[in-house]
Structure formats: structure tokens, C-alpha cells
């Protein structure tokens, strides 16, 4: 079985957080949270769930560069982009088609596109 990284984008202009989500229409927020909970439950019950998490906004990022003589720590993301990863799931699936099915369900739950990428596997010895 291959592990897949399902990522959910956040618009860097809005930088949604759990606090800013409170500004959403309460009924809409409740519906999204219920859909995400239902999705997460289905992942766990199927055995596909490995772990998941939400990220703080990119404005909180630190970039560490120790490739030169002296390490540098920058208070910024390592790349400027119109979208950033806001949250993710790591799942296990038999094939890419199955991972895409889970991503489709995730996209419906969170009402945003979901990117699917396989994690690299260790080479066989």
C-alpha cells in the first residue's frame, strides 16, 4: 500500500485560522465541520487514515537555511505563492485511483480543491 499526501490550500490573503472561521455563517461552519468529521470518521473506519493536521497561516512560518557558512532563520515562508498548504491528511491507499476517491470526498467536505501526491517509497533491497 502506498501512502498519499492530501493537501488543502488556503488563500494567503485570507489566512484562515480556527479563530477567523468563527466569522463564517454559523450554519455554514457547522455544516463544513460536520462534513469534515464525517470524512475523518470514514477514513479511520476504512483503515486508510494515518494522520492529519491543520497548519497555522504562512505569516507564522520560519525558513531555516543552513546551506551556507552560517545558518539563517527568516521570518517568512520559503516561497511566495498565491496559495499555501493549510491542512493535510496522510492516508494509505491501494492505488492512485483510490487516493483520488478519498480526495474527492475531502474536497466535498471542505469545499476546496485537494491535491493528491504519493509519498516516495523506500527502494527495494
Amino acid at each position: 500500500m502506498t501512502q498519499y499526501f492530501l493537501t488543502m490550500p488556503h488563500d494567503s490573503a485570507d489566512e484562515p485560522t480556527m479563530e477567523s472561521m468563527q466569522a463564517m455563517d454559523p450554519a455554514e461552519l457547522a455544516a463544513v465541520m460536520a462534513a469534515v468529521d464525517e470524512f475523518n470518521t470514514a477514513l479511520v473506519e476504512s483503515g486508510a487514515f494515518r494522520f492529519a493536521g491543520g497548519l497555522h497561516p504562512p505569516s507564522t512560518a520560519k525558513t531555516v537555511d543552513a546551506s551556507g557558512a552560517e545558518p539563517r532563520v527568516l521570518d517568512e515562508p520559503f516561497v511566495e505563492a498565491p496559495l499555501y498548504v493549510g491542512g493535510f491528511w496522510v492516508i494509505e491507499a491501494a492505488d492512485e485511483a483510490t487516493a483520488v476517491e478519498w480526495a474527492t470526498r475531502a474536497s466535498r467536505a471542505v469545499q476546496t480543491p485537494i491535491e493528491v501526491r504519493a509519498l516516495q517509497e523506500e527502494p527495494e533491497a
Side-chain angles (χ1 to χ4, degrees):
M1 292 265 229
T2 300
Q3 290 188 339
Y4 290 87
F5 190 51
L6 308 182
T7 55
M8 174 178 46
H10 278 178
D11 181 328
S12 63
D14 292 340
E15 293 194 349
T17 62
M18 292 306 287
E19 291 80 21
S20 69
M21 287 174 54
Q22 300 304 314
M24 289 176 65
D25 172 83
E28 183 181 336
L29 179 59
V32 168
M33 297 305 275
V36 170
D37 186 51
E38 182 179 321
F39 173 73
N40 286 336
T41 299
L43 268 178
V44 170
E45 289 176 353
S46 74
F49 182 84
R50 292 297 160 258
F51 62 95
L55 300 174
H56 285 281
S59 62
T60 66
K62 293 203 180 297
T63 298
V64 178
D65 183 356
S67 62
E70 294 293 321
R72 296 180 348 168
V73 179
L74 306 170
D75 290 325
E76 60 188 28
F78 72 93
V79 65
E80 292 293 324
L83 297 173
Y84 292 89
V85 174
F88 66 91
W89 292 268
V90 174
I91 67 167
E92 194 166 73
D95 53 40
E96 185 178 79
T98 303
V100 167
E101 288 175 22
W102 281 114
T104 300
R105 292 175 71 175
S107 179
R108 284 196 182 110
V110 296
Q111 296 294 296
T112 191
I114 300 293
E115 180 181 81
V116 178
R117 296 174 67 184
L119 274 66
Q120 294 184 15
E121 297 180 21
E122 293 289 325
E124 292 183 25

